[in-house]
Amino acid sequence: MKVAFLGTGLMGLPMAQRLLAADIQLVAYNRTPEKLAPLQAAGAEIVTHPRHAIRAAECVILMLTNASAIYNVLLSDTAWQTLEGRTIIQMGTITPTESQEIRDAVVAGGGEYLEAPVLGSIPEAKAGKLSVMVGAEPEQYECHLKLLEHFGTEPLLIGPVGSAAALKLALNQLIASLTTSFALSLAFVQRQGVDVDVFMQILRDSPLYAPTFDKKLQRMLDGNYADPNFPTKHLLKDTELFISEAKSLSLDLSSIKGVRQILQTAVKMSFGYDDYSSLFSVIKEWGEGIGE
């Protein structure tokens, strides 16, 4: 089987490299062609238009920024006409509604569609240890399980298309909210003169602890947000997707809207391309001129 990989950014590149390492024929497209160089060096076929990648492969994996990018790359007039007989696996973060609408467009073009968003970042992508959540019919899941196992050892069928996208947004909402809450507590104990090591010791031994706290602690203490696995602007995008999808569910969104405001401020402070732990700087400086 030949696989087309559309979108080779921070996550797409190591995921595509895993397929090449497994001797799977790969044809790759990226809107920024320079990012394709490592795949070309590893033996991937490189194309300059998505329709050429779709036409060359039986299965097309999408790891694109958002639904708008998917429409531009996959569902333009020229690309849409090449979908007949192809399987589209959407692995980025979009809303359930967007995923279902894209499925309908793919099916109308004669293809089949399933979603398989992933939880994890670059280290997990390189190691093939992502959490893969699948929204599909059971027979689709079984048919494509071996391919998905290159990205994570136990891809899990969540339900029909839309269910995995919803779960991914729920998890990313936790990333945003947990990190913001930890940053606020960290800034609070610092201002109160409490030893950070003591704070972390108590926290680690409590049911409140989450491993992500230690992953972000040193970045926050050092103010070093460079070389991100997950940039602030992407977490803001996912937070906005969560809010847009949750509006119709009669949920109180006050807390996550506050998180969104902090992320928006971080982007305005030029942390958009830095690690999302940069929201700590927003929280620390909130009373020092950027807002109260």
Side-chain angles (χ1 to χ4, degrees):
M1 180 176 64
K2 197 171 193 178
V3 174
F5 209 106
L6 309 184
T8 58
L10 287 176
M11 290 290 288
L13 178 59
M15 291 170 68
Q17 288 171 326
R18 285 198 61 81
L19 297 182
L20 285 172
D23 294 324
I24 293 174
Q25 293 184 69
L26 191 75
V27 53
Y29 167 82
N30 195 71
R31 290 182 296 173
T32 306
E34 296 78 24
K35 294 182 179 180
L36 293 166
L39 294 178
Q40 186 172 28
E45 178 185 347
I46 303 303
V47 296
T48 57
H49 197 284
R51 71 174 180 271
H52 299 148
I54 298 166
R55 189 177 291 131
E58 301 110 80
C59 180
V60 180
I61 292 176
L62 307 178
M63 200 63 187
L64 296 162
T65 305
N66 51 33
S68 177
I70 293 173
Y71 275 96
N72 288 335
V73 169
L74 184 76
L75 299 174
S76 67
D77 289 342
T78 53
W80 183 78
Q81 293 170 10
T82 64
L83 294 181
E84 187 169 357
R86 271 52 176 194
T87 296
I88 310 301
I89 304 179
Q90 198 298 114
M91 302 192 73
T93 303
I94 59 177
T95 70
T97 300
E98 290 169 337
S99 190
Q100 290 161 349
E101 290 173 349
I102 292 166
R103 173 202 58 197
D104 293 345
V106 169
V107 170
E112 72 163 343
Y113 174 93
L114 56 154
E115 61 186 15
V118 298
L119 183 67
S121 56
I122 295 171
E124 290 79 17
K126 289 180 176 179
K129 293 183 178 179
L130 293 166
S131 296
V132 184
M133 300 160 277
V134 185
E137 296 303 316
E139 58 271 19
Q140 291 177 307
Y141 168 75
E142 293 294 339
C143 181
H144 300 288
L145 181 58
K146 288 189 181 299
L147 177 62
L148 295 173
E149 284 175 341
H150 291 293
F151 308 121
T153 54
E154 295 182 5
L156 184 63
L157 178 62
I158 308 303
V161 169
S163 60
L167 179 53
K168 178 62 162 75
L169 285 183
L171 292 166
N172 278 25
Q173 187 278 144
L174 273 177
I175 293 173
S177 294
L178 280 173
T179 307
T180 303
S181 293
F182 173 68
L184 180 57
S185 289
L186 178 62
F188 180 78
V189 298
Q190 282 184 317
R191 294 283 171 88
Q192 292 287 349
V194 176
D195 190 302
V196 170
D197 289 337
V198 173
F199 165 62
M200 291 305 300
Q201 178 184 341
I202 298 295
L203 180 59
R204 291 185 190 108
D205 290 338
S206 78
L208 303 173
Y209 178 71
T212 188
F213 299 158
D214 267 311
K215 289 184 179 179
K216 298 305 177 185
L217 175 63
Q218 203 58 50
R219 279 187 177 273
M220 292 179 179
L221 294 177
D222 295 344
N224 178 12
Y225 312 120
D227 301 318
N229 290 327
F230 191 23
T232 306
K233 67 169 189 170
H234 289 173
L235 185 57
L236 173 58
K237 183 267 292 185
D238 293 351
T239 300
E240 290 176 333
L241 290 179
F242 178 89
I243 292 170
S244 70
E245 190 74 15
K247 278 182 178 177
S248 63
L249 301 177
S250 300
L251 300 172
D252 187 333
L253 302 176
S254 305
S255 61
I256 191 61
K257 285 181 178 179
V259 171
R260 176 178 64 181
Q261 184 176 358
I262 291 169
L263 290 168
Q264 288 172 334
T265 303
V267 170
K268 289 177 182 176
M269 291 171 64
S270 301
F271 291 124
Y273 291 90
D274 293 321
D275 187 85
Y276 65 88
S277 55
S278 61
L279 58 81
F280 181 64
S281 287
V282 177
I283 289 169
K284 281 201 310 179
E285 297 172 30
W286 191 257
E288 298 176 3
I290 67 170
E292 289 185 341

